[in-house]
Amino acid sequence: GRGMDQFPAEVTRPLEAALVRGVEAAEIARAFRAATAGLLAEARSVDGNLASRLGATVLELCGGADG
């Protein structure tokens, strides 16, 4: 979205791994796992109890904790 490139590095750096670097299925899955981890980290910072309840289900979306 607009202005997202203007966020400070401490905000964007943890999500850099979520950038897709190729069109291969394995690369897209890797980026999705990284984005999912970022989502859960943000959820923990806002509502740890909710993040705990949702964590296993959200990780299952991307093939589990180990991928």
Side-chain angles (χ1 to χ4, degrees):
R2 288 187 148 189
M4 291 182 67
D5 59 331
Q6 296 174 4
F7 282 114
E10 61 268 12
V11 173
T12 60
R13 192 172 296 118
L15 298 172
E16 286 177 358
L19 295 173
V20 178
R21 298 179 184 107
V23 296
E24 302 82 16
E27 171 58 18
I28 294 168
R30 182 209 58 76
F32 185 69
R33 285 191 301 274
T36 301
L39 169 70
L40 288 174
E42 285 297 310
R44 273 187 226 101
S45 72
V46 174
D47 187 337
N49 290 328
L50 177 62
S52 293
R53 292 193 322 264
L54 295 177
T57 302
V58 170
L59 288 174
E60 192 174 323
L61 289 172
C62 59
D66 296 80

